[in-house]
Amino acid sequence: MSAIMLSFSARAELRSWTGLFLLLLIFSASLPVSAKPDSLKEVTDGDWEKIMTGEWMIEFYAPWCPACQQLQPVWKEFANWGDDMGINVAKVDVTEQPGLSGRFIITSLPTIYHCKDGVFRKYQGARTKDDLLSFVDEQKWKSMEPVSSWFGPSSFLMNSMSALFKLSMFIRRCHNYMTEQLGIPVWGSYVIFGLVTLFAGLTLGLLLVFIADYVFPSRRFSSHDYYQKKQAMEQARLIQNQDEDQEADGEEDDEDDEDEDQDGVWRKRRGSPEGRPEPKGQGYPDEALRKRVVGNREEDEEDS
């Protein structure tokens, strides 16, 4: 009887220990497990300057691109080797980061760049994990021509391209908002953008003209003697005009005097029948004088 009781108690103790072990397993399973940090980094327009230090492999992709979707598993496996090889593996979504798309002039997807301390090279090899690992481990990138500093992501030209791509994405979002949210027709959106572009161009042109006049003023207007010379020229021109007017008046007076002289000579020649000049104040009309001269001639003929 005592043996039966001992076996029963042993079984009960075993069951209790088994239940406790199961509870511990369930409790441990319910505890949060610290996940391994993702070795694949993301680069954005706001923090892209971090790739200028260290060694990086960067993939530019788009979610809708089939070739990019095919590369994603390989790129994640390659990123898991990044810590062991001492490199940073990152990706850039060009649909969300238009500034980086313009900064690196992304014309095809996917595009992979290698960066070592701010020197960029475009990867042209096969897109397998082994090829990517050998490219970094064997430093094959040293045999590739780096991107010119003129076209580097930190150059003035690429900064301008980045701003242009950001502006294009902003315009596209505005267009989608007006057509989808506000219900404006597509042609109405184009008209709005056309007017905005026109006024912006006019404003920018006027601003550039004012800046150019301020920075590079005309030598003619910047001279201290300009206004004095201008006033002297105006006075000389005025004096010349007055002289010309006086000369013109003098010529008219001379012509009048000549006409009067000719009239006086003619009157002396056709004077009275006795050959004496007519007394002053006895002028006749031309027709009367002509008749008088003809009559005197007829009388002279009769007397002869």
Side-chain angles (χ1 to χ4, degrees), residues 38-40 71-81 91:
D38 191 5
S39 56
L40 182 59
L71 179 62
Q72 290 309 304
V74 177
W75 196 251
K76 288 181 179 180
E77 292 180 5
F78 173 62
N80 293 331
W81 287 82
K91 62 180 180 179

Side-chain angles (χ1 to χ4, degrees), residues 49-64:
E49 292 183 350
K50 65 184 180 182
I51 66 178
M52 300 297 291
T53 57
E55 188 173 4
W56 291 75
M57 288 288 287
I58 310 167
E59 176 206 8
F60 293 84
Y61 75 100
W64 48 263

Side-chain angles (χ1 to χ4, degrees), residues 274-290:
E274 295 77 14
R276 296 188 301 271
E278 291 184 353
K280 293 182 179 181
Q282 295 183 1
Y284 296 93
D286 293 342
E287 188 67 24
L289 290 173
R290 190 177 295 108

Side-chain angles (χ1 to χ4, degrees), residues 121-179:
R121 295 173 174 85
K122 190 173 182 179
Y123 178 76
Q124 302 288 351
R127 297 168 183 172
T128 63
K129 184 184 72 174
D130 295 336
D131 291 321
L132 292 170
L133 290 173
S134 63
F135 177 79
V136 177
D137 187 41
E138 299 176 9
Q139 297 184 353
K140 295 181 179 179
W141 48 268
K142 290 185 176 180
S143 62
M144 299 177 61
E145 185 71 19
V147 177
S148 173
S149 59
W150 288 95
F151 298 98
S154 59
S155 64
F156 174 78
L157 179 61
M158 293 300 102
N159 284 325
S160 302
M161 290 298 297
S162 176
L164 182 62
F165 273 64
K166 289 180 180 179
L167 178 62
S168 64
M169 182 60 68
F170 174 75
I171 293 175
R172 180 179 179 183
R173 289 174 180 173
C174 292
H175 173 74
N176 293 335
Y177 176 78
M178 288 189 292
T179 55

Side-chain angles (χ1 to χ4, degrees), residues 10-304:
R11 290 177 181 176
E13 186 177 358
L14 180 62
R15 289 176 180 175
S16 63
W17 281 106
T18 303
L20 181 60
F21 180 72
L22 292 175
L23 289 174
L24 290 174
L25 288 176
I26 295 172
F27 181 74
S28 62
S30 62
L31 290 176
V33 180
S34 58
K36 181 181 178 180
D38 191 5
S39 56
L40 182 59
K41 301 176 175 60
E42 291 188 5
V43 181
T44 63
D45 287 325
D47 62 356
W48 72 270
E49 292 183 350
K50 65 184 180 182
I51 66 178
M52 300 297 291
T53 57
E55 188 173 4
W56 291 75
M57 288 288 287
I58 310 167
E59 176 206 8
F60 293 84
Y61 75 100
W64 48 263
C65 173
C68 301
Q69 296 173 2
Q70 185 179 359
L71 179 62
Q72 290 309 304
V74 177
W75 196 251
K76 288 181 179 180
E77 292 180 5
F78 173 62
N80 293 331
W81 287 82
D83 294 336
D84 298 332
M85 302 183 67
I87 65 170
N88 300 287
V89 182
K91 62 180 180 179
V92 178
D93 185 357
V94 295
T95 61
E96 297 294 334
Q97 312 299 331
L100 289 178
S101 177
R103 194 178 295 277
F104 286 88
I105 310 296
I106 303 302
T107 57
S108 61
L109 295 173
T111 298
I112 299 173
Y113 272 94
H114 173 269
C115 177
K116 177 67 173 179
D117 296 329
V119 180
F120 291 83
R121 295 173 174 85
K122 190 173 182 179
Y123 178 76
Q124 302 288 351
R127 297 168 183 172
T128 63
K129 184 184 72 174
D130 295 336
D131 291 321
L132 292 170
L133 290 173
S134 63
F135 177 79
V136 177
D137 187 41
E138 299 176 9
Q139 297 184 353
K140 295 181 179 179
W141 48 268
K142 290 185 176 180
S143 62
M144 299 177 61
E145 185 71 19
V147 177
S148 173
S149 59
W150 288 95
F151 298 98
S154 59
S155 64
F156 174 78
L157 179 61
M158 293 300 102
N159 284 325
S160 302
M161 290 298 297
S162 176
L164 182 62
F165 273 64
K166 289 180 180 179
L167 178 62
S168 64
M169 182 60 68
F170 174 75
I171 293 175
R172 180 179 179 183
R173 289 174 180 173
C174 292
H175 173 74
N176 293 335
Y177 176 78
M178 288 189 292
T179 55
E180 296 175 2
Q181 301 295 330
L182 302 181
I184 298 176
V186 177
W187 62 267
S189 176
Y190 291 157
V191 170
I192 292 173
F193 282 116
L195 293 175
V196 171
T197 303
L198 178 62
F199 286 111
L202 292 175
T203 305
L204 182 60
L206 291 174
L207 180 62
L208 291 176
V209 170
F210 291 150
I211 293 174
D213 289 340
Y214 179 78
V215 177
F216 305 103
S218 176
R219 293 182 179 179
R220 184 181 65 179
F221 294 102
S222 62
S223 177
H224 296 289
D225 300 334
Y226 168 72
Y227 293 102
Q228 296 179 357
K229 293 180 179 179
K230 182 179 179 181
Q231 186 176 5
M233 291 175 63
E234 291 179 353
Q235 292 178 355
R237 189 181 299 109
L238 181 61
I239 293 172
Q240 183 179 2
N241 293 334
Q242 292 177 354
D243 293 340
E244 291 178 355
D245 293 338
Q246 291 178 358
E247 291 178 359
D249 294 339
E251 291 177 356
E252 292 179 357
D253 294 339
D254 294 340
E255 291 178 357
D256 295 338
D257 293 339
E258 291 177 358
D259 293 339
E260 291 178 358
D261 294 339
Q262 291 177 358
D263 291 339
V265 172
W266 184 71
R267 287 176 181 176
K268 289 179 180 179
R269 289 181 178 178
R270 69 178 185 182
S272 61
E274 295 77 14
R276 296 188 301 271
E278 291 184 353
K280 293 182 179 181
Q282 295 183 1
Y284 296 93
D286 293 342
E287 188 67 24
L289 290 173
R290 190 177 295 108
K291 290 181 178 180
R292 184 176 178 180
V293 170
V294 171
N296 291 334
R297 289 180 180 176
E298 291 178 353
E299 291 178 358
D300 292 338
E301 290 177 358
E302 289 178 359
D303 293 336
S304 60

